[in-house]
Amino acid sequence: MTEHGHHHHPGHAHQHEGNLAEVLDLDAQVLGSYLDGATAWAAELAPAAETIVDVGAGSGAGTLALAGRFPRAEVVALDKSADMLARTLNAARAQGLAGRVRAVEADLNQSWPAVGGADLIWASSSLHELADAQRTMRDMFAALQPGGLLVVVEMDGLPRFLPDNFHDGLESRLHALLAGQGWNSHPDWRPGLEKAGFAEVEQRAFPTVGRSTPDLASRYALAFLGRMAPALDGVADAGDLAVLGSLLTDGGKDTPLGGPDLVVRGSRTAWAARKP
């Protein structure tokens, strides 16, 4: 997931990453059914994958989903954050997957790391955050074994928590302002993938309605909207900021974020591309 911010926007690193890890973990718990669908699709297209690289692994939700989907594969979690990688390895140990998950710290804005040949590269909400995504796609192409597969996953928009008519479309207005700041901005990756040398590019949508406990849904909503708030300060209308602040007060109590009827909505699009 990203910013949405999956990786690293400016701020105080440890506090920033701690909050981001919470958002990523909650996203996986609430909207994570897309991981089931997208990893199953990857397994259909690359059933014999033995070495998998998760690019921009974050807190490890995708890494662990891939390790579960491909029980014979080694999964390399790749991220520039040592803290995120430590979280991923801890989660892998907790699930009995430590022997098949390893971590590599690398900043892909600098260079592609020496991780060996891969059968499958997975990049979920990470490719769009790179300074030169086209160069990285060429690096991925070079890192894949012949016949290897690259899967790129992106959010179609920020997750939605509020009724569409809440304060005359508050959430849509806030999302539009964040889009203007580049949150979750990404292209249709097909032309770039083909330019990098990939063939057989396929595209699939994974719409998701959150299925979780009301408590988890509420925690996710509060964590995500709380992450949005600082970016909107001084940008959004004062009245809209006041409403957002009231939603975040007292844990969302007596608001749409704190009730049993909260429905979390989101969708992802995935591109799968083959190295000839």
Side-chain angles (χ1 to χ4, degrees):
M1 168 186 173
T2 83
E3 233 93 28
H4 115 252
H6 175 138
H7 301 279
H8 313 293
H9 287 244
H12 299 289
H14 296 296
Q15 179 181 1
H16 174 90
E17 289 188 356
N19 173 259
L20 176 54
E22 178 189 17
V23 171
L24 295 177
D25 288 342
L26 288 167
D27 178 79
Q29 293 176 74
V30 176
L31 291 177
S33 64
Y34 83 90
L35 281 171
D36 297 334
T39 58
W41 187 39
E44 291 174 14
L45 297 173
E50 295 182 354
T51 301
I52 301 171
V53 179
D54 181 9
V55 175
S59 61
T63 300
L64 300 183
L66 289 162
R69 181 67 67 183
F70 294 84
R72 298 180 181 177
E74 177 190 53
V75 184
V76 180
L78 184 64
D79 204 284
K80 70 177 182 180
S81 165
D83 180 62
M84 287 291 190
L85 292 172
R87 290 172 184 269
T88 296
L89 292 179
N90 287 337
R93 279 191 289 270
Q95 295 190 23
L97 298 170
R100 295 197 294 111
V101 173
R102 65 184 175 98
V104 173
E105 184 178 346
D107 183 350
L108 296 187
N109 284 325
Q110 302 299 319
S111 62
W112 184 263
V115 294
D119 302 305
L120 169 62
I121 296 177
W122 173 274
S124 179
S125 293
S126 56
L127 191 58
H128 73 258
E129 294 199 357
L130 297 172
D132 189 345
Q134 192 63 49
R135 187 198 71 194
T136 299
M137 283 189 281
R138 293 195 299 269
D139 291 343
M140 292 171 169
F141 184 88
L144 281 167
Q145 302 282 11
L149 188 75
L150 169 62
V151 176
V152 178
V153 185
E154 295 283 9
M155 298 176 71
D156 297 321
L158 301 183
R160 302 186 70 90
F161 308 100
L162 298 169
D164 291 339
N165 61 356
F166 182 79
H167 279 266
D168 298 319
L170 170 70
E171 196 164 43
S172 293
R173 289 196 299 277
L174 299 182
H175 283 189
L177 291 171
L178 292 173
Q181 297 184 39
W183 277 45
N184 197 53
S185 175
H186 61 81
D188 175 356
W189 288 113
R190 179 186 294 269
L193 291 167
E194 292 174 342
K195 185 178 179 180
F198 288 96
E200 302 177 34
V201 181
E202 300 181 49
Q203 184 174 329
R204 187 171 292 189
F206 294 93
T208 305
V209 174
R211 300 184 183 276
S212 64
T213 66
D215 176 65
L216 275 177
S218 180
R219 284 173 55 201
Y220 180 38
L222 291 167
F224 198 96
L225 291 174
R227 192 169 177 79
M228 287 169 46
L232 292 164
D233 190 30
V235 177
D237 176 82
D240 285 349
L241 287 174
V243 174
L244 178 60
S246 69
L247 288 170
L248 298 173
T249 301
D250 297 327
K253 185 178 179 181
D254 299 324
T255 77
L257 304 182
D261 297 327
L262 172 61
V263 176
V264 184
R265 295 157 290 160
S267 64
R268 260 83 168 180
T269 294
W271 294 259
R274 182 89 55 190
K275 178 176 179 176

